[in-house]
Amino acid sequence: MEDHVTPRRVVIVGGGFAGLFAARALRRSPVAVTLVDRRAHHLFQPLLYQCAAGILSEGQIAQPLRAVLRRHANVRCLLADATDVDVKGRAVHARRPEGGSVVVPYDDLIVAVGMRQSYFGHDEFAVHAPGMKTLADALEIRRRLYRAFEMAESAADAEERRQWLTFALVGGGPTGVELAGQIREIAGHTLDREFRTIDPLQAQVLLFEGSDHVLGTFGDRLAGKAARTLHDLGVELHLGTRVTDLDARGLTVQERDGTTTRHAARTVLWTAGVEAPPLARALAKAAGAEQDHAGRIAVKPDLTLPGHPEIRVVGDAMSLNHLPGLAEVAMQSGAYAGRAVRHTVEGRTRKPKPFRYRDLGAAAYICRGRAVVKAGPVHLSGVSGWLTWLFIHVAFLTGFRSRLGAALSWAIVFASGARRERAFTLPDSDPEPARPRVPHGSTAVLRGP
Ligand SMILES: Cc1cc2nc3c(=O)[nH]c(=O)nc-3n(C[C@H](O)[C@H](O)[C@H](O)COP(=O)(O)OP(=O)(O)OC[C@H]3O[C@@H](n4cnc5c(N)ncnc54)[C@H](O)[C@@H]3O)c2cc1C
């Protein structure tokens, strides 16, 4: 097809793992790449929970996209939220963050928009139970975690204190398990000897999961080990439960036998389920593509859309052979799409081989010295799993300085329990002109030390 201008214009929507690897694969090609992302940074999502838990800083898990791609002279970064695709006119329509819109024409389009948190039709839960998908989510969770201990310290009575010291996590996948372990570690190590009224170790962590296992995708053996480790840590597992209601004071769950139970907890965090962002629906509609139950777009084995060889969908947002939503799938599919465009530009006429995912496995951290790793026939847990987890994450973090910084932060936290990134802000903590405050909530009389 020769209906494109020179140099060929490649638009990549999304600068996550998939988009970044697509851009990198095009580095030496005579193409003009525009990378559109609604955020200015590339985020290392697998370590979001460590940012939330106060181990790593924002800068250690998020790098400015411009900085990451500064040596890619053919890539231009655009901060904008893609809202629609004009498939006939070959242009992406996007909204600029401070108002106004922009139209970005393309010859080839690579869509790498990832997935967002799903509340299974209960979007109203989000205000009380933040998910874990963005940097803002991680900072919000950090605020809620450390705020809870502060509030418990000045609670009016034992019941209020108990509620602030109860943390409910919805979803027993890797993120839920990792967060559960982190909260128990914060309570047991980090906050040790810092409070005078409360004993942080009394913090209760409740983990709710709809299936019969935590970490079900790791297989029965590792899932069983993870459940035992969580139990030893003091995490209460509620398997086979479904959340039916949720508010600022706790949640109601339906048990297997149909009965419902109310659990009081002032901190509820949501890590269950994902759905495609709105752009996926807009693209599917415009291109006549199919979507699966979560909104992922069905692609052909070469990652293009049926009838649209110029549009590729990669990473979490693509639906192909039930591939899981993993960083490796995103990296490999992004790189494949970038190479496919390169081959077209180079005039290679041979049909590309279908995309084949090389399964490098998955890992989940539970607590200090305990992690599970599954890579083909290799199943690791305990200390060997933990060391492997450490190696993988140091190796894959984007940027040398982030790797060094993260390794140092881990050494400190593993050796002493101290976490350097505990600062959080409260919505009304800005200095404001004196204003009469309306008292709300109950009044506590401080107990002596
Ligand atoms: C908390 C957490 C822990 C995880 N742990 C692991 C793990 O241990 N191992 C593992 O392999 N995987 C893990 N994953 C999954 C892994 O992070 C994802 O599979 C991977 O990030 C997917 O990459 P992606 O590029 O497809 O999407 P993303 O990384 O989500 O990137 C999508 C990008 O698109 C941008 N975007 C979205 N919509 C628009 C729009 N309309 N306009 C412009 N830009 C847009 C977003 O801002 C984002 O930058 C984890 C994920 C999470 C959330």
Side-chain angles (χ1 to χ4, degrees):
M1 182 155 27
E2 287 302 324
D3 58 342
H4 58 82
V5 295
T6 307
R8 200 177 174 102
R9 298 159 305 183
V10 182
V11 173
I12 301 174
V13 184
F17 289 115
L20 198 59
F21 273 65
R24 282 178 173 164
L26 287 163
R27 182 175 181 182
R28 292 183 215 294
S29 293
V31 293
V33 179
T34 304
L35 178 67
V36 183
D37 200 303
R38 57 156 71 123
R39 303 206 173 81
H41 55 259
H42 165 76
L43 179 65
F44 195 93
Q45 286 181 3
L47 290 175
L48 266 175
Y49 76 96
Q50 296 230 352
C51 179
I55 297 177
L56 299 181
S57 69
E58 301 94 288
Q60 283 168 328
I61 61 163
Q63 309 292 314
L65 276 164
R66 289 181 191 288
V68 176
L69 294 167
R70 68 187 178 285
R71 293 208 180 91
H72 293 57
N74 64 346
V75 180
R76 166 175 87 129
C77 296
L78 202 63
L79 180 64
D81 187 352
T83 50
D84 207 353
V85 180
D86 175 0
V87 168
K88 265 205 190 126
R90 298 199 175 177
V92 171
H93 291 252
R95 242 190 336 247
R96 296 165 64 228
E98 298 296 331
S101 58
V102 57
V103 177
V104 196
Y106 66 82
D107 298 303
D108 291 279
L109 173 64
I110 299 177
V111 175
V113 288
M115 297 289 272
R116 65 179 187 179
Q117 202 77 65
S118 165
Y119 288 84
F120 305 119
H122 287 282
D123 288 350
E124 72 277 11
F125 289 175
V127 64
H128 304 300
M132 179 79 100
K133 272 291 188 184
T134 65
L135 201 52
D137 290 339
L139 294 178
E140 176 60 20
I141 290 177
R142 182 195 290 177
R143 182 171 80 81
R144 291 188 187 218
L145 290 184
Y146 288 102
R147 180 192 62 175
F149 289 97
E150 299 295 338
M151 294 304 291
E153 177 81 347
S154 59
D157 53 47
E159 177 53 23
E160 192 197 332
R161 193 171 308 121
R162 193 180 68 78
Q163 291 182 12
W164 280 114
L165 287 178
T166 305
F167 300 83
L169 303 171
V170 184
T175 306
V177 166
E178 285 162 344
L179 269 176
Q182 286 300 317
I183 299 172
R184 287 298 302 165
E185 282 199 346
I186 290 170
H189 299 283
T190 306
L191 301 182
D192 181 34
R193 286 182 288 167
E194 290 193 6
F195 286 85
R196 302 293 169 257
T197 307
I198 59 163
D199 174 4
L201 252 183
Q202 284 177 354
Q204 267 191 303
V205 181
L206 319 179
L207 180 58
F208 298 91
E209 161 61 31
S211 74
D212 291 335
H213 303 282
V214 289
L215 298 185
T217 54
F218 284 74
D220 286 353
R221 215 181 112 249
L222 289 182
K225 288 198 173 190
R228 280 194 293 281
T229 307
L230 286 171
H231 181 264
D232 294 345
L233 264 178
V235 176
E236 226 178 79
L237 293 183
H238 294 259
L239 302 175
T241 53
R242 194 169 62 86
V243 176
T244 55
D245 198 14
L246 197 158
D247 55 40
R249 297 290 173 104
L251 74 177
T252 306
V253 298
Q254 188 171 45
E255 313 282 345
R256 261 192 218 102
D257 60 7
T259 57
T260 56
T261 314
R262 172 82 188 170
H263 297 270
R266 299 279 185 123
T267 310
V268 184
L269 308 176
W270 188 277
T271 67
V274 288
E275 64 186 16
L279 185 71
R281 198 176 328 117
L283 173 63
K285 192 167 164 220
E290 286 185 11
Q291 291 180 275
D292 71 6
H293 65 282
R296 295 178 196 91
I297 301 180
V299 292
K300 297 200 320 180
D302 63 358
L303 310 189
T304 61
L305 296 189
H308 290 281
E310 76 286 7
I311 303 178
R312 293 171 175 83
V313 180
V314 292
D316 278 10
M318 74 176 183
S319 167
L320 177 73
N321 302 333
H322 303 289
L323 285 173
L326 288 176
E328 259 306 318
V329 176
M331 291 180 206
Q332 291 180 30
S333 60
Y336 173 96
R339 280 196 306 272
V341 172
R342 197 173 72 206
H343 292 169
T344 314
V345 177
E346 288 167 358
R348 297 196 203 181
T349 48
R350 235 181 52 203
K351 215 173 148 222
K353 284 185 186 163
F355 171 66
R356 291 233 346 243
Y357 170 56
R358 269 185 54 230
D359 187 357
L360 299 184
Y365 178 101
I366 305 173
C367 62
R368 261 195 309 183
R370 296 276 181 278
V372 291
V373 177
K374 182 175 165 237
V378 181
H379 288 196
L380 303 173
S381 57
V383 178
S384 58
W386 182 66
L387 290 172
T388 311
W389 177 95
L390 263 181
F391 174 78
I392 295 170
H393 284 79
V394 171
F396 278 90
L397 250 182
T398 313
F400 175 73
R401 278 171 63 183
S402 297
R403 268 178 234 145
L404 198 67
L408 191 67
S409 301
W410 285 330
I412 293 170
V413 78
F414 296 150
S416 67
R419 290 164 193 243
R420 296 175 38 182
E421 306 295 337
R422 284 167 46 185
F424 64 90
T425 54
L426 292 169
D428 59 354
S429 61
D430 289 334
E432 275 185 74
R435 187 163 28 124
R437 283 194 178 264
V438 182
H440 62 274
S442 44
T443 305
V445 178
L446 269 189
R447 288 194 282 158

